[in-house]
Amino acid sequence: MTEGDNSLFDLGDKDEEFTIELKVKKNKGPNNTYRFPNYPSFIGKREKWESGAPTNGWIMAFKDDYWMFNGRGPNGSGEVNGPKLNNATWNNVTVVGTVTSDGKRLIKTYTNGLPGNEIDVSGWGAINSPAKFRLGLMNGNSNWNEGDYYIADVRFWKIALPESVISQYNCQVGISDDHPYYQNLAANWPVFGTVTNGLLYDEGPFGNTLKVGNSTYEISKLNDFLCAPSVETISTLVPKNTDITAQIFSWLQIARQESWQLDGRVWVDK
């Protein structure tokens, strides 16, 4: 998808903060696995994304079982990996640019609200580009465009969201004005249900409408959840047999005694 030509989506110099978050879902790639051997981008503002990454700007791209942020300014460049992605389901990926109390500029990654790696970009200079902001695959002359994936719930903030807020809201679909940092929201593309006549509408304050650049891109409402739990965490999200007794005592308003040695979690108290 292409592109609004708004400098709002430049990441600026060492005194500027930002947060970029979106939901992604990988489909099986050309090797019939969820590991993309090259580095297909899924969002960015850069003239080209190819071997050597010679142009200034930034991208977020898939990398094997992970994802990464790669950026370049006039004085430096580099990349930082995000935590591992769950296969065949939606993941929330977040990159945060924050300025520390001692003047350092760090870029941090999160997957599904969990913190990953960080990189010091204090000396890079302004991570800006004359290229247009873009969702989807970036221009380039390499084979770094072999990736099959979905995107939804894209948000761009002009502030470094705290880790507690990222963790609390990472699974939320959509954004409302009761979000504690709503006033810092620069753009919001739900993607699903907001495409008309080849245009992707921004529900944020500046209305940066994007043009769908390829008519073959599928814009559809999927039947799966935008934030399904992983196999590893689902057991913590649903009641288990050991919870039944605790739940019954709670409904009867009978306080459990420690001497009873009952395990179990109370899911609702009314």
Side-chain angles (χ1 to χ4, degrees):
M1 296 177 185
T2 58
E3 63 234 15
D5 57 353
N6 197 320
S7 60
L8 182 71
F9 307 110
D10 285 326
L11 302 187
D13 211 338
K14 60 183 180 181
D15 58 345
E16 296 187 47
E17 295 189 327
F18 66 89
T19 302
I20 305 163
E21 60 178 346
L22 66 157
K23 294 181 175 65
V24 296
K25 179 184 178 183
K26 292 197 298 182
N27 300 313
K28 285 188 177 181
N31 54 4
N32 204 36
T33 74
Y34 294 99
R35 297 172 65 94
F36 295 162
N38 301 310
Y39 310 95
S41 60
F42 51 86
I43 187 174
K45 192 173 187 290
R46 201 169 192 162
E47 289 187 58
K48 287 187 177 181
W49 172 235
E50 58 189 8
S51 181
T55 57
N56 289 352
W58 61 274
I59 61 96
M60 294 164 68
F62 295 111
K63 181 180 180 181
D64 292 326
D65 289 339
Y66 302 83
W67 64 275
M68 67 175 178
F69 170 91
N70 183 293
R72 178 184 287 269
N75 305 318
S77 63
E79 66 185 43
V80 57
N81 289 345
K84 189 174 181 179
L85 297 165
N86 296 318
N87 291 332
T89 190
W90 289 94
N91 295 265
N92 181 283
V93 298
T94 305
V95 60
V96 178
T98 184
V99 179
T100 65
S101 58
D102 58 357
K104 290 183 178 180
R105 192 189 197 198
L106 303 178
I107 289 182
K108 304 179 180 182
T109 62
Y110 299 81
T111 298
N112 299 323
L114 300 177
N117 302 297
E118 64 181 49
I119 187 172
D120 188 337
V121 301
S122 306
W124 288 12
I127 309 175
N128 296 340
S129 172
K132 296 178 179 180
F133 174 77
R134 187 179 183 104
L135 297 183
L137 297 170
M138 200 68 54
N139 295 321
N141 58 13
S142 68
N143 61 349
W144 287 8
N145 58 0
E146 298 178 358
D148 186 0
Y149 55 85
Y150 293 110
I151 294 174
D153 225 17
V154 183
R155 293 192 283 270
F156 198 101
W157 309 79
K158 283 297 187 178
I159 196 171
L161 293 181
E163 186 172 310
S164 59
V165 172
I166 293 170
S167 176
Q168 178 180 353
Y169 288 91
N170 84 93
C171 201
Q172 177 175 302
V173 176
I175 191 75
S176 61
D177 57 11
D178 62 356
H179 188 285
Y181 291 88
Y182 187 81
Q183 70 273 16
N184 303 107
L185 180 66
N188 172 34
W189 294 280
V191 179
F192 52 93
T194 61
V195 178
T196 306
N197 298 325
L199 299 176
L200 183 65
Y201 289 98
D202 171 18
E203 297 184 2
F206 301 109
N208 286 289
T209 300
L210 301 184
K211 180 182 178 182
V212 179
N214 190 325
S215 61
T216 64
Y217 286 143
E218 180 183 357
I219 307 295
S220 60
K221 200 165 187 178
L222 304 180
N223 292 324
D224 53 354
F225 292 106
L226 281 178
C227 197
S230 67
V231 173
E232 291 80 5
T233 61
I234 194 168
S235 63
T236 66
L237 302 176
V238 296
K240 296 179 289 187
N241 290 340
T242 54
D243 299 328
I244 295 175
T245 303
Q247 192 69 58
I248 291 173
F249 279 121
S250 174
W251 284 336
L252 295 175
Q253 298 184 352
I254 297 175
R256 283 188 290 169
Q257 304 298 314
E258 185 175 350
S259 60
W260 297 351
Q261 297 183 352
L262 290 177
D263 295 325
R265 171 183 171 187
V266 176
W267 287 81
V268 291
D269 58 5
K270 292 182 180 179

